Amino acid sequence: MAGVLETLTVPRASAFPSASFTTVAGASVSRHSSIRFSQFRGLKIQQNRCVASLGSTTKFSRRGSRIVCEAQETAVEVAGVTDATWKSLVLESDSPVLVEFWAPWCGPCKMIHPLIDKLAKQYAGKLNCYKVNTDESPSIATQYKIRSIPTVIIFKNGEKKDAIIGAVPESTLTTSIEKFL
């Protein structure tokens, strides 16, 4: 999943007075410290410091920083569906199924991916969520007349019940999902 924040340059950590410093486990050769931003949940700057021992003196020198997302391990990865798994995962499912039709080159698809992941986590146990890469499974896209991506289709009892085209707000998808639960 591509990140929204590519690069952030911060002149010095003291520019963030409200940030609290927390030590992160590091190797014996280097020590890492991080700054947590209270206004941006889940993001922190991790500063890398190198420790060099020259005789009886120890010298700390900065070697750069990086932005770290603490929530990456909690992200839900929605499974992909292929031509081989379409029937068993979608059409024969006992519960309603939300399927996002997307392609790797599609900008709006990248915008809606985190929303689909969030809904998959929110409706876990009530709704199955899958993604179909239209470049890898064009026959499924053709069968359901997908003309524009992203397109989200909700299936219930193997039948297409609703389709939402484009990168839409969460409320639009939630309203559509609630109709079929």
Side-chain angles (χ1 to χ4, degrees):
M1 185 156 89
V4 176
L5 181 63
E6 295 280 332
T7 305
L8 175 66
T9 304
V10 179
R12 57 179 86 97
S14 60
F16 301 100
S18 65
S20 63
F21 289 88
T22 306
T23 302
V24 178
S28 59
V29 177
S30 65
R31 181 174 176 218
H32 301 284
S33 64
S34 64
I35 301 171
R36 296 181 191 276
F37 296 101
S38 58
Q39 64 270 36
F40 300 107
R41 291 184 0 206
L43 290 180
K44 66 180 180 178
I45 291 182
Q46 188 176 60
Q47 297 176 344
N48 298 327
R49 294 185 184 180
C50 290
V51 180
S53 295
L54 300 172
S56 62
T57 61
T58 302
K59 182 180 178 183
F60 290 90
S61 63
R62 286 190 190 190
R63 296 287 185 200
S65 311
R66 63 183 176 157
I67 301 289
V68 178
C69 177
E70 297 174 314
Q72 287 178 349
E73 67 277 358
T74 62
V76 174
E77 189 74 29
V78 174
V81 177
T82 62
D83 294 327
T85 59
W86 176 258
K87 185 177 179 186
S88 63
L89 293 176
V90 178
L91 300 180
E92 295 175 352
S93 176
D94 293 333
S95 58
V97 180
L98 179 143
V99 180
E100 177 198 1
F101 291 84
W102 71 286
W105 47 264
C106 170
C109 297
K110 292 176 185 176
M111 291 170 48
I112 202 169
H113 280 331
L115 180 56
I116 299 297
D117 292 341
K118 179 181 176 183
L119 291 172
K121 190 173 185 180
Q122 180 180 338
Y123 289 100
K126 300 178 197 173
L127 177 76
N128 295 330
C129 295
Y130 299 105
K131 295 180 181 181
V132 174
N133 183 335
T134 57
D135 289 345
E136 293 176 357
S137 300
S139 62
I140 299 172
T142 302
Q143 180 182 353
Y144 290 95
K145 298 176 176 58
I146 303 299
R147 303 265 184 248
S148 180
I149 52 174
T151 293
V152 175
I153 298 180
I154 298 175
F155 293 86
K156 188 168 185 178
N157 299 324
E159 296 178 14
K160 176 182 169 181
K161 295 295 184 181
D162 200 4
I164 301 105
I165 300 170
V168 296
E170 180 179 355
S171 60
T172 303
L173 290 172
T174 303
T175 301
S176 184
I177 291 167
E178 292 292 334
K179 289 191 278 185
F180 301 105
L181 291 181

